[in-house]
């Protein structure tokens, strides 16, 4: 199995929508497809400003690297769609990351 991380930035939220609920919703959406290893929230500097992001680490079943990466991209798209339906804008898009883990290090892969 390969380990991946997705970092999804949160922009504007609909009234009544709270970030902790979105983290739970994102984990549920991802967990319907893959084993979720860890969830977190971060607020890194992106182009000089803080951006809140949901971070989910998950496993993808064995297969070729290309197949695993494609499954991870599909999972990311499903999480984004679920968050948008749940009342969150996914933005800014330049803060969106998908990373693959190997030997304790995570490196970005093309989305």
């Amino acid at each position: 199995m390969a380990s991946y991380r997705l970092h999804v930035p949160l922009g504007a939220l609909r009234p009544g929508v709270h970030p902790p609920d979105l983290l739970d919703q994102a984990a549920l959406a991802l967990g319907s497809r893959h084993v979720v290893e860890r969830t977190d929230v971060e607020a890194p500097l992106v182009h000089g400003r803080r951006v809140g992001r949901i971070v989910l680490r998950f496993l993808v079943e064995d297969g070729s690297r290309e197949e695993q990466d494609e499954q991870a991209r599909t999972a990311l798209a499903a999480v984004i769609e679920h968050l948008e339906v749940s009342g969150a804008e996914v933005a800014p898009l330049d803060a969106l990351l998908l990373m693959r883990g190997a030997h304790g290090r995570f490196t970005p892969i093309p989305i």
Side-chain angles (χ1 to χ4, degrees):
M1 285 206 221
S3 185
Y4 288 84
R5 280 189 196 154
L6 54 86
H7 301 247
V8 181
L10 297 177
L13 305 179
R14 273 193 243 141
V17 174
H18 305 287
D21 298 333
L22 291 172
L23 180 60
D24 293 342
Q25 289 295 319
L28 285 171
L30 182 59
S32 69
R33 299 168 176 266
H34 301 286
V35 174
V36 177
E37 294 183 298
R38 187 172 181 185
T39 64
D40 203 356
V41 176
E42 65 181 11
L45 280 175
V46 177
H47 303 298
R49 70 174 235 231
R50 293 259 175 233
V51 174
R53 291 194 299 203
I54 289 173
V55 181
L56 301 169
R57 192 168 99 185
F58 63 103
L59 297 174
V60 172
E61 293 294 322
D62 289 335
S64 71
R65 181 181 178 123
E66 293 79 21
E67 290 169 338
Q68 290 175 323
D69 287 356
E70 190 54 38
Q71 286 185 51
R73 287 183 193 97
T74 301
L76 174 61
V79 168
I80 290 170
E81 180 181 351
H82 190 79
L83 288 172
E84 289 175 339
V85 168
S86 297
E89 174 189 21
V90 174
L93 293 180
D94 60 352
L96 184 66
L97 287 174
L98 180 59
M99 304 178 84
R100 181 184 173 101
H103 309 292
R105 297 185 60 132
F106 282 82
T107 55
I109 64 169
I111 297 176

